[in-house]
Every structure is written in C-alpha cells, then in structure tokens.
Amino acid sequence: MSASGVAVLLSWLSCCGSALWRYYSNSPNYDIFSTRSTIKLEYEGTLFSEWSAPATCSIKNKRSPKTELRCSSPGIHAIKPIVSGPDLEEERYLSVDSSHICFLWYYKAINFVHNLTQIVVLWIYDPENADPSELLWNANEPSLNSIVLSKQLAALGQMPVIYTILKRKVYFPQERIKDGKWYISVPMTTSDVLKEVKGNPVAFQDCFIANSLFLLTSPMLTIPEIPGFLPISSPRGSQLIANWAACGPSFVVVVADMETFQTNDSFHTWTRIRVPPNILTEDERHNVSDVTLSRDGIFFLINGILYLKNYNTFTRLGSNANLPDGGIIGITSRRWCWINYLLKDKERRSDMAIWTENEVYLGYTLLKFVKIVTTEKLKGLLNMSPTATLTIHNVEYTGHPLELALLLNYCIICNTSKTIYLVIYNEDTVQWVFQDFALDVTIDTFLIPYFLYSAKPELLLWDKHRIYYYYHNFTDTGVLQTTTEFGNLSRLSQNSIIHNVLMDYYGNIVVKMENNVMFYFKLKVKDAIKLHLWTNSTVKSLVCFKPSGNMYLLYVFENGKIYPEDYPLKLEAQSITFRTKEKCPYMAFHNDIVHFSYLLDKGQNLSVWAQIVYPENIGLYIIVESYGPKILEMKNKIHYETASGYCSKTMTITFSQNINYEAVDDYFKLQYVNTGLLLVHVRPSELAKTCPISQKVFQISVGCDASKFIAVKGFTKKECLQHDFFYIIEQSYLRDRPSKPLRVKYNWDKYGCPLRVDFREKFRPLVQLYNDNGYVEDVEVNFIVWEIHGRDDYSFNNTMKKSGCLNEAQTWNSMIELNKHLPLEEVWGPENYKHCFSYAIGKPGDLSQPYEIINKSNYNHLVWPLDHSGMYVFRVKILDPNYSFCNLTTIFAIETFGVIPSPNAYTVAAFLFLLMLLFLSILILSYFHYMRIYRKQIYEPLHKSERRKKKN
C-alpha cells in the first residue's frame, strides 16, 4: 500500500487518539530529501487551521491537512501545523539537502533454481516522476519515463555493477541495455547476501544516481496459507511479537492478537500463518507467548510447550525431540549476523536457545536439541550455597558469534528481593564465565536483556519503565537518563510501558513504548531524547530495520491488514537535536575497515587505519577495544595534523602473530592455543546522538581458512579421456616388497589427468595456493611428495650435501623407521619437521643420500628409472610448520614413457634356442645344397667332355 493508503487508515483511527503530524518522501528510506524533493505533509486530528513554513518553502495548499511542500534553498526549515485551541502542535526542523543525487536504481531478481543463479534486472528511475508501482516497489517492467531515463544515461556511458559487501566480488551486465533494462547474473548464495548496485559517475541534467544497498539471498519460501486452517495469535489486547533471521532481516514473522504474519521481503508481500484444526484448542491457538524463526521453520511457545510450523506440518515438540514436555518459559535466537566465524572444537553453533526455570537447551538445524546446563550444575560451577534458590531469569545471545548469556535469579529468603547475576557460555570452548554483574531488584521484577553490537559485552536491560545500561564489559553502568523524570520513560509517555528496543549496526538505538511514543540514543550514550510523535496510540506497531540499515514501522490493523512504512530516523533525530543544540564533538570519523571479518593464517598480519577530525582544544582520540583470547599482538602508530583550527589523528593498527612452530614439543597443542576468534571495536573517545556513523566492529579469526587449497600447476581434468582404468605395479617397485604385484585402480575423479613425461626428463612440481576467489600465490616453502600406492622406484636429483645440509636430513625411510605405528601419510609432516642446516639439529650422516624435500627455489627434481616406465600417483604435503594452520595436501599423477621394456629371461632363452635351431638348420640345409652344386660342377663337366669326344 502507498504512503497515502496507510495515511487513510491511520487518519481513520486518529479520532480515538491524540493529534499528530508527519511527512513523506517519494524516495524509499528518505534517501533523497533535497530541494528537488516533493515533501508530503499530513495532519491527523480535528483542530487543523493551516501550515506554517518559512518563506524559502512553498506549500501547495496551506489550509489542507494533506498537502505538498517544496523548499527551494537547503538548510534547516521549521515546519508546523497551526491549530485552533490552546494546545500547540510540535514544530519540526526539517533538514533539506542540496544534493545532486536525483535518481535511484530499481532492481528485481529472477531465480533459476536449476543452475543456482539469479538474474538481477536493473533500471533507473526518478522518484519524482516514477510510476506508482515503482514507488511501491512491485513493478515488473520500467515505466515509460524510466525507460527513457535509462536509455539516455546509458548513451552517456552509464552501466550498473553489483558489488558484494562480504566477499568483495564484482558482477557486470551480460550485455548492453535492452528495452531500458540491464541484466546481471549472480550465483545464489547464503554467505554473500549483502550487495550494492553502483553505477558510473555519469550525470544527466546535473543529476547523479545513488548507490543502492540490498539483500539478495537464495529463495526463502514463506509457508503458504491452506484453506480450512485456523489462525494462531497472541492473547487479545497484547502487543506485537516479532522475530527475524539475523542474516536475513527481510525474513520476518509477526504475531498479533488476531493473526500471525510472515514475509520474505520486509512486508512488501506477506502471508498468514495458520495451523490445522483439532491440534490446539481455541484458547491455545490464541495464547502464543513467543516466536522465533529457524531454518527448520517457525517455533511457537504456547502454554509452556514448544510447537513447530514448517512448510508441511505443525508439530508439538517435547520428549520426542529431547525437550521438556512443558514448563518452557522462553525461546530466543541470535540478533546479530556473523556469517564467518571460527570453530575450534565444534562442527556448528546453535540457532536458538530454549529454557525452563532450571534448564537450558540449545537448538540446532534438523531439530537437534541439547541440554547444556541445569541450575544445580550452575550452583556448583559458581560456588553458590546449596540451600540458596537459583532459577533462570532470562537468556540472550550476546554480540559475540559463539556466546550465550544467562540472567540468573538468586535469593536466600525469596520474599521481597532477589539478586540477578550474569554468566556467559562459550559454545566452542564449553566454558562458563561468571561476570562482574549483580543487580538487586524486587522479587516480581522481570528484566529483558539486549546485547549490543560491540566487541566487549555491552548490555541494555529494561523493565516496564526504565532502561539500564552496562557498557564496557559491565564496568560502566547506570540508568538511561532523560531531560526530566530521572529516566522514567513511562512518565514521559502518558504512563505507557516499554514495548521493544531496537539497535542497528551503526549504533542507533530506538526505544518504542506501547502507545507508540519513541525515544532515541546511541551506543555508549547515557541519555535519550524523546522523538516527535509519529504514530497514533491506537495503532499497534513495531520497529524493524531493513538490510540497508534503515528502520521502518510495521502497522497491524484490527481488520487483519499489515503495512510497512519507512521511518526517517535520521531526520527526526536531527530535528530534536537541532532544538536542544546538541553538537557532535568531532567533524568526521573515517576508516578503511571494509570487511566484517578477517581470517589470519600463519605469517599473516592485518593493518587497518582510522582517522578522526575535530576542532582544536577538544582532545579526542581513537579507542581500539578487543575481546577474546590473547593470541595477537596489536601495535598502534598515530599521526597528528593540525590546520585551520582543526586537528586530525590517524591511527594505524597492526595485528600480528609472531610464533615459531618449528621443532616444538607439541605442535598441535601450540597451534590450538594460538587459534581463536577476536572481536575488535574501533570508535572515537567521545560520542553524541548527533554524530554520524561512529563505530566499526569486526572480527579477526586466527586459524585455518577452510577455503584454502593447493594444486600442482599444469594438472587438469580436461585434457584426457575421462575414465577409470587398472594397471599393475611390479612387487620390486613397491616400498614394502610384497610377494606379488599390486593391481591398482586409477580413479579419475580423484587423480585427474596424468601428465605424460619422458623418462629422461626430470620433473619439479610447482605448487600453487588457491582460495574461493582463485589463485593466490606460488608456494615457496618446503613440501614433500610420496607415491600413495607405495612405489619407491623414483629418486631426487639433489643430494643432501648439494642442498647445503650440515647434518643428515630427514628422509622417508628415516621417518618411517621413527613412526612405525603411523600410516605412511602421517609419519612426516610439519609437526615433526626439522631442517638440516644447523649443526645443533640432527646428527652427522651420509650426505650423499638424495635430498627428499622440494621447494620452489632449491632446484630439486623427481628422477625416473631408466629401465622401465610406469604410472605414479603422488600426494603433496606442505612441510613448513610456519606456513599454514591448514593441513594442505593435493594429488597429481605422472605417466612416464620412452623406455623399451626389458623382455622376460625365459622368452629370451626360447628365442635364442629357436634362433640357434634355425641357424643350424640353415647350415645343414646349405651344406647339402652346396654339396649338390659341387657334385654337379665336378661330375657333369667330365661327362659332357666324354660325350663330345665320342661324337667327334
């Protein structure tokens, strides 16, 4: 529904609530709010007279409650409605920009599941001249104005490009613009979902196109409505309950007191969630107390029992799923998205937590639930008195990707008061850490925790009336203050109570009361301001945020309709702070931290910088906070500059690890203690509610990058006939010298194409490192090779002496002798490698032996036997213990050729016998043949001469 459509419903409800006014922009998220923008004003109430605006702004119809405003000059403009009666309406100070950004990108995705790709269709539109379907974001084709605008800018050189925020990949259009649209193909993904459309810096009539941030995931299907199924809801009169996927905030479920709604696109479209009849009673169907989203479906908590609604079924979960059959008091899921994180001991982390008064369970995908603790066990871990009463108050995931916090009720005589303690559980290390946190409250107090997006644990707690802050690892604590009433938000909102609290990734925090009054503050700030009234108290609403970080309000009406509406938080906060004269202590805060997570392997370091610019004589500085194991060294370098009354401080922070893993007693233990996950928070030393984006939180993981792998250059799977075959290895060519030849199956899928090498040619494998993005580098460190089927009829051209060894180097034979209990692939590796270039390491020996270690620069080659050819399947392993936490190996195959095979001895003897027999036969035959000739030549002439004489 359009903004005007929502306004009609809100106005219809205004008769029962207080008067208020608000404004709208055609630009989504109020991204363009400039002198070019049409600002739509709207008054809700019955006492309206006319609008008041400065002379630089023109109003289309001053006496209409709904009208349009345009301001010809940039700046802060005071706008308010004039009403009849003694009460005055709020005056807003609207900040109108003079930006040259006028146009926006419109995008829609077409899914192709068969090849796991998505086609993003893009065009350019002008919000001030767009089609209504484009403003509502449900257009399938560009409007005529958009087609003309896109073609005009394309002729000037405009072309969109999609950048991914997490993995920094780039995708270009498949072809030139066609019918006013560009098409970009991107792969479906669940780990690189945040994307940004950017164009070339091309202007049309002095107007540019704004970059657009959007979320594009693999298709997330909503559960369809089935005829005959019944509504499921919260109790009548209760507030909205919502939950969304941490890494997919557009995927939301909302429980109202008449229906449950679900969306996968931030409520541009939505469906109702209904359940089959005869499973729940009427009272149970309308008694949902909590809800959470998971990859397995939607979990509902009803009367202490957990139910699962997925695409096909609606199921009650209990002992059949290793959960309690009743008594569950809460469920929760993660608030903050960490796609990449390092696990040392576990294969996966949990998606949700479920708890009773005395037990906590973690839920994993595929409906696996595990009980992790009981209050009796916690008493022992925390050294508490066995006679004390300890129950679970609340559970919440922290800002750390692997931690979970438990609030515990503790009391001895539980009549009037209790103490709330806090423990944090690390899912990977399975450790419980008792925090320096204790809060004394009355026995009936119930507190809701909200861990903030920060490195060190920082927490907001609230009851019905107040918010308690716990900053800087619970060392800076207090009650969130207001200008009056000492932080009691209820007294500032007509005795309403706190409904929900929401923080975005940029440090903005909004507190919404049940009557839709809202308060605003920022991370590390200890006081809040009351925002202008935006929504009537009779409408049930919820504060949500989009993938772009912009907040929106979600309205649920009594007729079962649900509507989202963009909320201009930045403009509303600027209006209040302009009146209170609050200033940001610094002018700018910049940094080059472009990733949310970094992964460091051995020998790698990370350098980032941050810069703060501020007026002279204020003395600001940059704070770098870290949370996690002490596995990295951090060095800071600060550069100062002063000019024209302003100071700038630039801090360069370098994280590194300088540990030698060679020849240590326990290589694997040393690796384990020096790997882990570290959260880092970079921020200015002072903050205010008027400051722009003022923090950067990121994680550094030290350990094995699972996307890394090695390969030998020149080997593929495309240059040979793709088939498996068998071949024979003679027993004399095998390391163990078995009694009979070995028959081997060549597995093409595993080994790839063998490289054919002449037996007279030496071969040196060039090992290369790759990751998900492709080639990284040539591997220059030491590595070893061995034939996986046990062949040892090859050698190396370098000797130990030629390689520079001072003592005898390690060889396969010596390592096998030392590790007879291990399989061949484990006898030699980085864990037991010792070099031979020092008299202090190893022992003297025969240095004329082949040197069996290869690297890129030592010119060591594989040498083949001269008397036979064969098929060799080698495995490569990186030997340098300071190269990587990963066990990097690969396989390549060599087929030698060119040798004339030696014949069998029996064959040779038989052939010689036959040859001699033939030779003797020829001799005998030739003897008789020549005897005939001799006799013929001796006797025939005599007879001829006698016959002549007789004739004569």
Side-chain angles (χ1 to χ4, degrees):
M1 177 178 279
S2 64
S4 59
V6 176
V8 170
L9 284 167
L10 294 175
S11 300
W12 176 69
L13 293 165
S14 65
C15 61
C16 306
S18 56
L20 56 91
W21 72 277
R22 55 182 164 262
Y23 52 94
Y24 301 100
S25 167
N26 287 329
S27 171
N29 307 315
Y30 296 80
D31 287 338
I32 302 174
F33 202 80
S34 66
T35 53
R36 190 176 179 274
S37 302
T38 300
I39 304 170
K40 298 176 182 179
L41 303 178
E42 175 187 278
Y43 178 82
E44 279 187 16
T46 57
L47 303 177
F48 177 79
S49 294
E50 64 178 27
W51 293 98
S52 171
T56 54
C57 296
S58 62
I59 299 176
K60 187 175 183 180
N61 185 353
K62 275 192 172 186
R63 297 191 176 276
S64 173
K66 295 178 184 178
T67 189
E68 293 180 357
L69 171 75
R70 283 182 178 272
C71 294
S72 58
S73 63
I76 305 294
H77 302 287
I79 312 293
K80 71 173 183 179
I82 299 173
V83 296
S84 57
D87 297 329
L88 298 177
E89 285 296 333
E90 286 185 301
E91 185 174 51
R92 280 185 169 93
Y93 298 91
L94 297 186
S95 178
V96 178
D97 199 2
S98 61
S99 172
H100 287 279
I101 299 293
C102 311
F103 310 135
L104 297 171
W105 290 105
Y106 191 99
Y107 49 86
K108 52 174 290 191
I110 304 172
N111 299 312
F112 294 92
V113 181
H114 67 281
N115 60 359
L116 298 179
T117 60
Q118 294 168 299
I119 301 296
V120 181
V121 184
L122 294 153
W123 66 81
I124 304 164
Y125 77 104
D126 179 359
E128 298 302 317
N129 298 285
D131 190 79
S133 62
E134 291 176 319
L135 296 179
L136 292 175
W137 214 255
N138 57 16
N140 293 317
E141 295 292 333
S143 64
L144 181 59
N145 285 337
S146 298
I147 291 174
V148 172
L149 181 62
S150 299
K151 288 183 176 180
Q152 182 67 46
L153 282 162
L156 296 172
Q158 184 57 263
M159 183 182 71
V161 178
I162 292 180
Y163 294 82
T164 67
I165 302 300
L166 300 177
K167 295 188 177 180
R168 317 302 293 179
K169 293 186 177 181
V170 184
Y171 300 96
F172 297 92
Q174 298 171 321
E175 55 188 14
R176 297 170 63 88
I177 189 170
K178 182 178 180 182
D179 299 327
K181 296 174 287 187
W182 288 272
Y183 297 86
I184 301 179
S185 176
V186 298
M188 287 185 184
T189 178
T190 57
S191 59
D192 199 15
V193 296
L194 198 58
K195 298 175 173 64
E196 186 175 24
V197 182
K198 294 182 179 181
N200 296 327
V202 174
F204 177 65
Q205 296 180 350
D206 292 331
C207 283
F208 293 87
I209 310 169
N211 297 335
S212 296
L213 195 69
F214 67 102
L215 190 78
L216 186 63
T217 67
S218 53
M220 297 185 295
L221 301 178
T222 56
I223 299 172
E225 296 183 34
I226 300 177
F229 278 23
L230 303 174
I232 184 169
S233 68
S234 56
R236 193 67 182 169
S238 59
Q239 292 293 314
L240 302 179
I241 307 169
N243 188 258
W244 50 83
C247 294
S250 60
F251 198 65
V252 190
V253 60
V254 173
V255 181
D257 61 358
M258 85 292 291
E259 289 278 3
T260 296
F261 307 91
Q262 184 187 15
T263 182
N264 58 9
D265 56 7
S266 299
F267 288 100
H268 285 113
T269 61
W270 49 270
T271 59
R272 295 180 180 88
I273 300 297
R274 297 196 168 190
V275 298
N278 305 322
I279 294 181
L280 299 175
T281 65
E282 182 75 11
D283 290 339
E284 288 173 334
R285 281 196 302 105
H286 299 295
N287 203 26
V288 175
S289 57
D290 211 343
V291 67
T292 191
L293 271 174
S294 166
R295 279 175 273 187
D296 292 316
I298 303 172
F299 292 90
F300 293 96
L301 183 59
I302 302 172
N303 294 343
I305 300 171
L306 196 63
Y307 294 85
L308 171 65
K309 173 65 177 174
N310 58 26
Y311 203 80
N312 299 312
T313 61
F314 181 70
T315 310
R316 173 174 172 165
L317 302 177
S319 55
N320 59 333
N322 196 35
L323 285 173
D325 289 314
I328 297 174
I329 60 176
I331 56 176
T332 190
S333 60
R334 299 184 185 275
R335 292 187 185 273
W336 303 111
C337 177
W338 293 105
I339 292 177
N340 300 314
Y341 48 87
L342 181 71
L343 288 168
K344 293 170 62 174
D345 296 319
K346 297 290 185 70
E347 294 182 358
R348 55 180 177 170
R349 64 173 187 170
S350 64
D351 297 322
M352 61 183 297
I354 306 102
W355 66 96
T356 66
E357 279 196 346
N358 301 299
E359 298 172 332
V360 179
Y361 297 79
L362 293 183
Y364 303 85
T365 52
L366 302 178
L367 295 181
K368 180 183 177 182
F369 299 95
V370 178
K371 180 164 66 174
I372 59 168
V373 78
T374 65
T375 50
E376 286 302 315
K377 182 179 179 181
L378 284 171
K379 281 185 185 180
L381 291 172
L382 304 177
N383 297 318
M384 291 182 172
S385 169
T387 60
T389 299
L390 185 70
T391 59
I392 296 168
H393 182 88
N394 217 324
V395 178
E396 181 71 10
Y397 285 100
T398 71
H400 191 283
L402 302 175
E403 289 186 349
L404 178 78
L406 272 63
L407 291 175
L408 304 174
N409 296 318
Y410 176 83
C411 56
I412 302 293
I413 302 173
C414 306
N415 292 330
T416 58
S417 65
K418 62 184 178 183
T419 303
I420 294 181
Y421 292 116
L422 178 68
V423 292
I424 290 181
Y425 172 71
N426 187 294
E427 289 190 49
D428 192 34
T429 61
V430 197
Q431 291 181 339
W432 293 92
V433 180
F434 187 69
Q435 303 297 315
D436 185 15
F437 177 98
L439 181 63
D440 295 323
V441 295
T442 58
I443 198 70
D444 60 345
T445 297
F446 182 74
L447 297 174
I448 300 174
Y450 191 110
F451 277 87
L452 304 177
Y453 185 64
S454 59
K456 293 186 175 181
E458 296 187 315
L459 172 68
L460 296 179
L461 282 176
W462 67 88
D463 54 22
K464 292 181 178 181
H465 314 293
R466 287 183 172 84
I467 290 182
Y468 306 86
Y469 61 82
Y470 293 83
Y471 295 149
H472 199 69
N473 203 11
F474 313 114
T475 58
D476 186 3
T477 68
V479 176
L480 186 71
Q481 293 299 306
T482 52
T483 53
T484 60
E485 305 298 343
F486 305 102
N488 190 320
L489 303 184
S490 294
R491 293 180 183 174
L492 294 172
S493 53
Q494 296 80 49
N495 295 318
S496 183
I497 62 176
I498 298 172
H499 177 207
N500 75 322
V501 177
L502 185 72
M503 175 185 172
D504 65 15
Y505 287 91
Y506 308 110
N508 300 301
I509 304 173
V510 172
V511 181
K512 179 194 164 295
M513 309 300 285
E514 288 190 353
N515 66 350
N516 297 324
V517 172
M518 291 189 289
F519 298 87
Y520 170 75
F521 64 107
K522 276 183 173 283
L523 179 69
K524 302 286 187 181
V525 173
K526 301 175 183 179
D527 64 290
I529 55 174
K530 183 181 178 182
L531 296 172
H532 298 295
L533 191 61
W534 186 270
T535 306
N536 200 284
S537 60
T538 59
V539 180
K540 290 183 178 177
S541 68
L542 192 73
V543 182
C544 307
F545 70 88
K546 295 182 178 180
S548 60
N550 297 288
M551 292 190 177
Y552 69 95
L553 294 173
L554 190 68
Y555 302 120
V556 178
F557 299 102
E558 291 296 332
N559 60 359
K561 299 294 183 181
I562 188 167
Y563 301 107
E565 181 184 70
D566 292 337
Y567 178 69
L569 177 63
K570 179 181 176 182
L571 293 171
E572 291 291 272
Q574 285 177 342
S575 175
I576 299 294
T577 54
F578 178 81
R579 187 172 59 190
T580 59
K581 307 299 182 184
E582 184 175 351
K583 300 288 185 182
C584 182
Y586 58 87
M587 309 302 295
F589 181 74
H590 302 292
N591 60 75
D592 72 336
I593 305 168
V594 297
H595 295 284
F596 294 101
S597 61
Y598 296 86
L599 182 56
L600 299 184
D601 208 335
K602 293 176 182 176
Q604 294 180 334
N605 56 41
L606 172 67
S607 291
V608 297
W609 60 262
Q611 182 186 64
I612 187 170
V613 180
Y614 57 93
E616 282 184 320
N617 303 321
I618 293 184
L620 299 184
Y621 53 94
I622 298 169
I623 294 177
V624 181
E625 300 172 327
S626 64
Y627 176 73
K630 307 299 181 184
I631 54 177
L632 289 175
E633 296 180 11
M634 185 174 70
K635 294 182 180 179
N636 298 335
K637 183 179 179 181
I638 300 176
H639 175 72
Y640 300 87
E641 286 186 8
T642 302
S644 304
Y646 292 95
C647 296
S648 73
K649 289 182 182 178
T650 304
M651 175 185 284
T652 302
I653 312 117
T654 302
F655 300 90
S656 62
Q657 187 181 86
N658 300 307
I659 296 173
N660 186 7
Y661 293 90
E662 185 174 341
V664 296
D665 293 334
D666 194 332
Y667 172 83
F668 294 110
K669 181 179 179 180
L670 186 63
Q671 278 200 144
Y672 182 85
V673 299
N674 286 289
T675 55
L677 190 150
L678 188 73
L679 288 184
V680 181
H681 191 169
V682 181
R683 62 178 180 86
S685 58
E686 292 184 20
L687 296 168
K689 294 181 285 295
T690 53
C691 292
I693 297 173
S694 56
Q695 66 163 1
K696 198 70 178 183
V697 179
F698 61 98
Q699 62 166 297
I700 305 175
S701 297
V702 180
C704 173
D705 182 355
S707 69
K708 278 187 177 181
F709 63 95
I710 58 172
V712 178
K713 185 178 180 180
F715 290 83
T716 68
K717 289 188 176 182
K718 300 178 180 179
E719 298 178 357
C720 63
L721 181 63
Q722 302 178 8
H723 72 289
D724 295 348
F725 56 89
F726 291 89
Y727 62 94
I728 302 296
I729 304 176
E730 294 295 331
Q731 60 266 42
S732 60
Y733 306 154
L734 295 170
R735 190 183 301 275
D736 297 332
R737 301 298 186 267
S739 59
K740 57 182 180 179
L742 177 65
R743 187 171 184 262
V744 175
K745 180 182 179 181
Y746 189 91
N747 189 324
W748 181 86
D749 283 334
K750 291 174 63 177
Y751 308 151
C753 293
L755 180 68
R756 287 177 55 81
V757 176
D758 190 285
F759 77 104
R760 292 164 294 189
E761 294 181 7
K762 296 179 290 186
F763 178 77
R764 180 168 64 91
L766 176 60
V767 181
Q768 297 179 322
L769 182 68
Y770 292 83
N771 61 20
D772 285 345
N773 296 320
Y775 170 81
V776 177
E777 64 181 8
D778 289 349
V779 175
E780 299 187 355
V781 300
N782 291 339
F783 60 89
I784 52 175
V785 299
W786 70 97
E787 213 282 335
I788 65 173
H789 298 121
R791 297 188 75 139
D792 65 349
D793 57 331
Y794 59 92
S795 187
F796 300 84
N797 70 314
N798 277 6
T799 63
M800 297 178 186
K801 183 175 182 180
K802 184 178 179 182
S803 298
C805 289
L806 301 176
N807 277 329
E808 184 176 327
Q810 292 174 325
T811 63
W812 275 107
N813 288 336
S814 65
M815 298 308 292
I816 290 171
E817 185 65 26
L818 288 172
N819 301 282
K820 293 180 179 179
H821 60 290
L822 295 176
L824 181 63
E825 60 269 15
E826 295 181 17
V827 300
W828 196 6
E831 66 275 11
N832 55 15
Y833 167 70
K834 295 179 181 178
H835 67 77
C836 63
F837 307 110
S838 170
Y839 288 114
I841 299 174
K843 59 183 180 180
D846 181 9
L847 300 187
S848 64
Q849 299 178 71
Y851 185 65
E852 299 183 354
I853 299 171
I854 307 175
N855 61 45
K856 186 179 179 182
S857 59
N858 69 357
Y859 300 104
N860 202 7
H861 293 71
L862 290 168
V863 179
W864 314 111
L866 300 178
D867 58 345
H868 61 272
S869 58
M871 180 72 72
Y872 299 83
V873 181
F874 289 101
R875 184 175 290 277
V876 178
K877 180 192 284 188
I878 300 299
L879 191 62
D880 192 323
N882 291 312
Y883 185 69
S884 177
F885 289 105
C886 305
N887 181 28
L888 295 173
T889 68
T890 190
I891 285 180
F892 68 96
I894 297 288
E895 182 184 8
T896 60
F897 69 93
V899 177
I900 299 175
S902 300
N904 186 278
Y906 297 106
T907 305
V908 173
F911 178 76
L912 290 174
F913 174 77
L914 291 173
L915 189 64
M916 290 179 64
L917 185 61
L918 178 63
F919 179 70
L920 288 172
S921 301
I922 292 172
L923 282 176
I924 294 169
L925 291 172
S926 63
Y927 169 76
F928 288 107
H929 178 67
Y930 281 107
M931 282 300 295
R932 284 180 62 192
I933 295 173
Y934 178 74
R935 287 176 61 186
K936 187 175 181 180
Q937 293 295 328
I938 294 296
Y939 293 108
E940 284 187 3
L942 291 174
H943 295 303
K944 287 180 178 179
S945 62
E946 289 177 359
R947 283 195 292 267
R948 284 195 200 103
K949 288 179 179 180
K950 287 178 180 181
K951 284 181 180 181
N952 295 330

Short mmCIF file of all heavy atoms in Angstrom, two decimals, residues 688-707:
data_model
loop_
_atom_site.label_atom_id
_atom_site.label_comp_id
_atom_site.label_asym_id
_atom_site.label_seq_id
_atom_site.Cartn_x
_atom_site.Cartn_y
_atom_site.Cartn_z
N ALA A 688 28.08 11.41 20.59
CA ALA A 688 26.86 12.15 20.84
C ALA A 688 25.78 11.64 19.89
O ALA A 688 26.08 10.98 18.90
CB ALA A 688 27.07 13.66 20.65
N LYS A 689 24.56 11.97 20.21
CA LYS A 689 23.44 11.49 19.38
C LYS A 689 23.43 12.11 18.00
O LYS A 689 22.79 11.60 17.09
CB LYS A 689 22.13 11.79 20.11
CG LYS A 689 21.95 11.00 21.40
CD LYS A 689 20.64 11.29 22.08
CE LYS A 689 20.63 12.65 22.76
NZ LYS A 689 21.59 12.74 23.88
N THR A 690 24.15 13.22 17.82
CA THR A 690 24.19 13.90 16.52
C THR A 690 25.33 13.41 15.64
O THR A 690 25.46 13.87 14.50
CB THR A 690 24.36 15.41 16.74
OG1 THR A 690 25.50 15.63 17.58
CG2 THR A 690 23.13 16.01 17.40
N CYS A 691 26.15 12.51 16.13
CA CYS A 691 27.31 12.06 15.36
C CYS A 691 26.87 11.11 14.25
O CYS A 691 25.93 10.33 14.42
CB CYS A 691 28.31 11.36 16.25
SG CYS A 691 29.11 12.45 17.44
N PRO A 692 27.55 11.16 13.11
CA PRO A 692 27.28 10.19 12.04
C PRO A 692 27.78 8.80 12.45
O PRO A 692 28.13 8.58 13.61
CB PRO A 692 28.06 10.75 10.85
CG PRO A 692 29.16 11.55 11.47
CD PRO A 692 28.60 12.12 12.74
N ILE A 693 27.83 7.90 11.50
CA ILE A 693 28.30 6.54 11.80
C ILE A 693 29.63 6.62 12.54
O ILE A 693 30.61 7.15 12.04
CB ILE A 693 28.46 5.72 10.51
CG1 ILE A 693 27.11 5.57 9.81
CG2 ILE A 693 29.06 4.36 10.79
CD1 ILE A 693 27.20 4.94 8.44
N SER A 694 29.66 6.08 13.75
CA SER A 694 30.78 6.37 14.63
C SER A 694 31.42 5.12 15.21
O SER A 694 32.10 5.20 16.22
CB SER A 694 30.31 7.26 15.78
OG SER A 694 29.22 6.65 16.45
N GLN A 695 31.21 3.97 14.61
CA GLN A 695 31.84 2.78 15.16
C GLN A 695 32.09 1.77 14.05
O GLN A 695 31.47 1.81 13.00
CB GLN A 695 30.96 2.14 16.23
CG GLN A 695 29.66 1.57 15.69
CD GLN A 695 29.03 0.61 16.66
OE1 GLN A 695 29.53 0.36 17.73
NE2 GLN A 695 27.90 0.04 16.27
N LYS A 696 33.02 0.88 14.31
CA LYS A 696 33.29 -0.22 13.40
C LYS A 696 33.64 -1.43 14.24
O LYS A 696 34.62 -1.43 14.99
CB LYS A 696 34.45 0.14 12.46
CG LYS A 696 34.52 -0.74 11.24
CD LYS A 696 33.39 -0.46 10.27
CE LYS A 696 33.47 -1.29 9.02
NZ LYS A 696 32.42 -0.98 8.06
N VAL A 697 32.81 -2.45 14.12
CA VAL A 697 33.03 -3.69 14.84
C VAL A 697 33.35 -4.77 13.81
O VAL A 697 32.61 -4.93 12.84
CB VAL A 697 31.80 -4.09 15.68
CG1 VAL A 697 32.04 -5.41 16.41
CG2 VAL A 697 31.46 -2.99 16.68
N PHE A 698 34.42 -5.48 14.03
CA PHE A 698 34.78 -6.56 13.12
C PHE A 698 35.46 -7.67 13.92
O PHE A 698 35.88 -7.47 15.05
CB PHE A 698 35.67 -6.07 11.98
CG PHE A 698 37.00 -5.49 12.42
CD1 PHE A 698 38.15 -6.24 12.39
CD2 PHE A 698 37.07 -4.16 12.86
CE1 PHE A 698 39.36 -5.70 12.79
CE2 PHE A 698 38.28 -3.62 13.26
CZ PHE A 698 39.43 -4.38 13.22
N GLN A 699 35.55 -8.83 13.30
CA GLN A 699 36.18 -9.96 13.97
C GLN A 699 37.43 -10.39 13.22
O GLN A 699 37.51 -10.28 11.99
CB GLN A 699 35.23 -11.13 14.10
CG GLN A 699 34.73 -11.72 12.81
CD GLN A 699 34.06 -13.07 12.98
OE1 GLN A 699 34.67 -14.02 13.39
NE2 GLN A 699 32.77 -13.13 12.68
N ILE A 700 38.41 -10.85 13.98
CA ILE A 700 39.62 -11.42 13.40
C ILE A 700 39.71 -12.86 13.89
O ILE A 700 39.76 -13.11 15.10
CB ILE A 700 40.88 -10.64 13.84
CG1 ILE A 700 40.75 -9.16 13.49
CG2 ILE A 700 42.12 -11.24 13.18
CD1 ILE A 700 41.90 -8.32 14.00
N SER A 701 39.69 -13.78 12.96
CA SER A 701 39.85 -15.19 13.30
C SER A 701 41.27 -15.61 12.95
O SER A 701 41.80 -15.27 11.89
CB SER A 701 38.86 -16.06 12.51
OG SER A 701 37.53 -15.73 12.86
N VAL A 702 41.90 -16.31 13.86
CA VAL A 702 43.24 -16.84 13.64
C VAL A 702 43.13 -18.35 13.56
O VAL A 702 42.72 -19.00 14.52
CB VAL A 702 44.21 -16.43 14.76
CG1 VAL A 702 45.60 -16.99 14.50
CG2 VAL A 702 44.25 -14.92 14.90
N GLY A 703 43.43 -18.90 12.39
CA GLY A 703 43.29 -20.34 12.23
C GLY A 703 43.27 -20.71 10.77
O GLY A 703 43.70 -19.94 9.89
N CYS A 704 42.78 -21.90 10.50
CA CYS A 704 42.77 -22.44 9.14
C CYS A 704 41.62 -21.84 8.35
O CYS A 704 40.48 -21.86 8.79
CB CYS A 704 42.65 -23.96 9.19
SG CYS A 704 42.43 -24.73 7.56
N ASP A 705 41.95 -21.34 7.19
CA ASP A 705 40.94 -20.86 6.24
C ASP A 705 40.47 -22.05 5.42
O ASP A 705 41.21 -22.58 4.58
CB ASP A 705 41.55 -19.79 5.34
CG ASP A 705 40.54 -19.21 4.36
OD1 ASP A 705 39.40 -19.70 4.33
OD2 ASP A 705 40.90 -18.27 3.63
N ALA A 706 39.24 -22.49 5.67
CA ALA A 706 38.73 -23.70 5.01
C ALA A 706 38.63 -23.54 3.51
O ALA A 706 38.52 -24.54 2.78
CB ALA A 706 37.37 -24.07 5.60
N SER A 707 38.67 -22.32 3.00
CA SER A 707 38.57 -22.12 1.55
C SER A 707 39.92 -22.27 0.85
O SER A 707 39.99 -22.26 -0.37
CB SER A 707 37.99 -20.74 1.24
OG SER A 707 38.91 -19.71 1.59
#
